[in-house]
Amino acid sequence: MRIRTLVPALACLAAAPFAAAADSVPAVKIDGFVDSIWSNTNPEKGDTVGATSGFDFSGKLGLSATISDKVAAQVDLNIANDGNVTSRQAYGTWAINDELGLKTGKFISNYGWTSAYAPGLYRVNSGPITAFYGVDQVGADVKYTKGAISAAVTVANGFFAEGSGDTAQATGQDAGAYALGLDVVYTHDMAVVNLELVSDQDVGTGTDADGYHFGLNVQANPSKELTVAAELIMQSVNQKGVGAEDAQNTGFMVLANYKLATAMPMSVTGQITFVDIEEASSYVTSLAGGTVATGDDVTGTEFAVALLTNPAGTDKLGANLEVSYTQFEQNGGDTEYKLGLAAELLYVF
């Protein structure tokens, strides 16, 4: 499950990928966002991470097409800081009946709690646990919904970023070496519980390995002002090549967001994230704090606090601030520290 609702401070716009009105006619809807971030980072000691400061930009232009009451399509174009435009998603959906839906093409994976897009975040940055979410998938997804339970089975070219960058799996792979995933969601009046299981039979570049992912996340709303979430991820990569070592990766995150009773729509978020990477391979190349090379063992903890506001009185404009403190160790060496500050203007349409 990936939370994709709009929550820069207060709004909540839900998406229903397989739903369409019975009397719908062919229609196209355009949406997206423009996200501008200034950030500054400073290490307290050591030279593993240098001080950095500057502006970053990203944008999304999404096009959703309702073709009939059972058929729809979605295309998302992402614009990067260097001006490159890529297709983050390009997929079609078929509502076979009221309970069963099929999605095929290139799409953001179901796995992980944190939103893939900026408007769905409860802070400015996404945090280090998202390094375990895998890549965007190319394949087919079948989703079944009955009452409070939904379950999606995905067959894709991969989950870990084996030899194909960090955006999606390439089409070429060993015969039968697909990633098979199960995503089960239970929705209650005050909470959502999500269980994830993935088996990937083609992990690594130039190596023969099996990768496994277990994820469990919970989101609860004890009151209309408070949202809390927690996530646990455990991964195992079993190498089969000569001299290769197995990897066991763990991530844990807790987050709380509280809406303030102020004239300007405003909320505060606190998040703590812990990650432990053994024998980091090409699918995890960075951690909040420094570059991680293949074969490194890395442990890190991040503390982040964010203030989210809607200064124009609309949830279509977010002006957000974030302060983070990260400490991490590589290969049992000295503990490194980093302080981070980020300011964001987020326009949503």
Side-chain angles (χ1 to χ4, degrees):
M1 177 185 68
R2 295 293 288 271
I3 303 298
R4 297 190 185 88
T5 53
L6 176 63
V7 207
L10 298 175
C12 187
L13 302 177
F18 295 122
D23 58 350
S24 64
V25 296
V28 174
K29 179 182 178 182
I30 295 176
D31 66 1
F33 63 83
V34 176
D35 190 17
S36 300
I37 298 175
W38 171 85
S39 61
N40 185 85
T41 59
N42 287 284
E44 289 192 42
K45 71 171 188 176
D47 58 0
T48 301
V49 182
T52 61
S53 182
F55 291 91
D56 195 12
F57 158 84
S58 65
K60 172 211 161 187
L61 179 63
L63 184 150
S64 59
T66 301
I67 302 168
S68 73
D69 60 341
K70 291 183 176 294
V71 180
Q74 176 76 34
V75 176
D76 291 351
L77 300 179
N78 281 24
I79 303 95
N81 192 53
D82 58 5
N84 286 338
V85 179
T86 58
S87 59
R88 181 73 191 268
Q89 298 194 107
Y91 63 86
T93 61
W94 172 23
I96 299 172
N97 54 42
D98 292 340
E99 299 174 347
L100 192 64
L102 172 67
K103 176 168 63 178
T104 60
K106 176 183 178 183
F107 46 86
I108 297 169
S109 74
N110 297 322
Y111 316 114
W113 178 84
T114 303
S115 171
Y117 287 138
L121 297 178
Y122 287 83
R123 48 178 291 195
V124 175
N125 296 299
S126 57
I129 199 169
T130 58
F132 297 132
Y133 284 9
V135 296
D136 298 342
Q137 307 213 279
V138 176
D141 177 277
V142 178
K143 184 177 181 179
Y144 177 80
T145 303
K146 184 72 171 180
I149 299 289
S150 69
V153 174
T154 303
V155 180
N157 286 345
F159 171 78
F160 300 101
E162 54 273 20
S164 60
D166 59 1
T167 56
Q169 297 304 297
T171 56
Q173 63 189 64
D174 293 339
Y178 295 98
L180 178 63
L182 173 65
D183 185 68
V184 181
V185 180
Y186 172 73
T187 303
H188 188 266
D189 292 340
M190 295 178 59
V192 179
V193 182
N194 177 214
L195 173 66
E196 307 163 351
L197 299 171
V198 182
S199 173
D200 189 346
Q201 302 303 306
D202 184 20
V203 179
T205 303
T207 62
D208 186 11
D210 297 335
Y212 302 94
H213 167 96
F214 166 84
L216 178 65
N217 59 72
V218 179
Q219 175 181 320
N221 296 91
S223 67
K224 65 179 181 179
E225 298 86 9
L226 181 62
T227 297
V228 294
E231 180 172 31
L232 171 66
I233 292 178
M234 302 176 68
Q235 295 179 339
S236 174
V237 178
N238 304 316
Q239 303 283 356
K240 298 178 183 178
V242 176
E245 295 186 35
D246 294 347
Q248 304 291 330
N249 304 324
T250 304
F252 179 73
M253 178 276 293
V254 291
L255 175 147
N257 173 268
Y258 188 80
K259 301 172 185 176
L260 303 176
T262 55
M264 179 194 304
M266 187 178 300
S267 71
V268 292
T269 297
Q271 182 176 13
I272 302 174
T273 307
F274 170 80
V275 293
D276 185 2
I277 303 171
E278 295 182 6
E279 284 292 315
S281 56
S282 60
Y283 66 88
V284 179
T285 57
S286 65
L287 176 66
T291 299
V292 179
T294 298
D296 280 1
D297 295 335
V298 184
T299 301
T301 305
E302 182 203 52
F303 303 88
V305 178
L307 174 66
L308 311 177
T309 72
N310 296 136
T314 171
D315 54 39
K316 303 302 183 182
L317 174 65
N320 309 318
L321 295 173
E322 177 179 293
V323 178
S324 62
Y325 173 82
T326 306
Q327 62 181 37
F328 71 99
E329 298 179 1
Q330 289 185 232
N331 297 322
D334 293 338
T335 300
E336 301 288 344
Y337 305 90
K338 184 185 75 169
L339 290 172
L341 175 65
E344 176 185 44
L345 273 178
L346 176 62
Y347 305 83
V348 182
F349 60 90

